[in-house]
Amino acid sequence: AFLSYNMAVSGVFGHFYYNRLEMIFPQAIGGLRAVLAKLFVTQGVWVPFGWLPGYLFWTGSVQGRTFEQNVEKLRTDYHALLLGTWSTGGLVCIMMFRFIPIQHQVGFSALGHFVVTSMMSLMLSKERPVPFYKVRDVKCGQPVCDSIPDSANHIVSGPK
């Protein structure tokens, strides 16, 4: 689901978005001011109000969630995902706007979006893989787990 979102947003929209930013805040003239302006527009406006809600609704719809379920997902996970995006996105944007030529920013951004959406997909995934040390058998395609505790407290306290 996130691959299709990245193709649509980074591949199609990204070209126009970064060219427009460069037209409004030209790097050759603006220097650090242009970098910070682009950073503010991207991380302060586009990510919280466009990219992140779009990601949650797009991927939720592809996964079969209803509109109401997508709204609930946005309500419950939005702040954690936004902080996660900001934790790396700000530095990546500064480096991109300062050092990456405009003709390569879409590709650089697409790679960054791929990494961030992979991270968000893992954060949002409710089903975690069963650790290999707990699997003793597979029945009907599902692993059957041993009753190995995650800690050694059962040894200290003895059998119950």
Side-chain angles (χ1 to χ4, degrees):
F2 66 86
L3 181 61
S4 63
Y5 182 71
N6 277 336
M7 287 176 58
V9 173
S10 296
V12 176
F13 178 74
H15 171 75
F16 299 104
Y17 177 77
Y18 292 115
N19 281 329
R20 180 63 61 177
L21 277 180
E22 184 62 21
M23 286 173 42
I24 297 169
F25 308 109
Q27 183 60 37
I29 298 170
L32 185 59
R33 289 181 118 175
V35 169
L36 294 177
K38 291 176 186 180
L39 174 69
F40 173 75
V41 170
T42 301
Q43 293 294 312
V45 179
W46 167 236
V47 168
F49 301 112
W51 189 81
L52 189 54
Y55 170 81
L56 289 172
F57 275 89
W58 181 295
T59 56
S61 298
V62 169
Q63 294 171 350
R65 288 196 301 258
T66 65
F67 180 80
E68 291 77 19
Q69 290 170 323
N70 284 331
V71 169
E72 181 62 20
K73 192 74 159 170
L74 182 66
R75 190 186 67 74
T76 58
D77 295 336
Y78 177 80
H79 288 92
L81 292 173
L82 183 60
L83 291 176
T85 303
W86 280 348
S87 70
T88 57
L91 182 59
V92 170
C93 280
I94 289 172
M95 290 184 335
M96 179 177 75
F97 293 137
R98 181 69 181 115
F99 301 112
I100 305 294
I102 185 67
Q103 65 267 26
H104 301 297
Q105 287 182 1
V106 172
F108 186 83
S109 174
L111 176 62
H113 285 157
F114 178 77
V115 170
V116 168
T117 54
S118 296
M119 178 188 70
M120 290 185 342
S121 182
L122 289 172
M123 288 172 62
L124 292 173
S125 176
K126 299 296 182 207
E127 296 179 16
R128 301 278 188 239
V130 177
F132 72 94
Y133 62 85
K134 290 189 175 186
V135 176
R136 68 173 164 84
D137 198 4
V138 175
K139 292 183 181 176
C140 301
Q142 296 296 320
V144 178
C145 296
D146 290 332
S147 57
I148 300 172
D150 289 330
S151 69
N153 290 338
H154 69 289
I155 297 172
V156 176
S157 62
K160 292 184 181 182

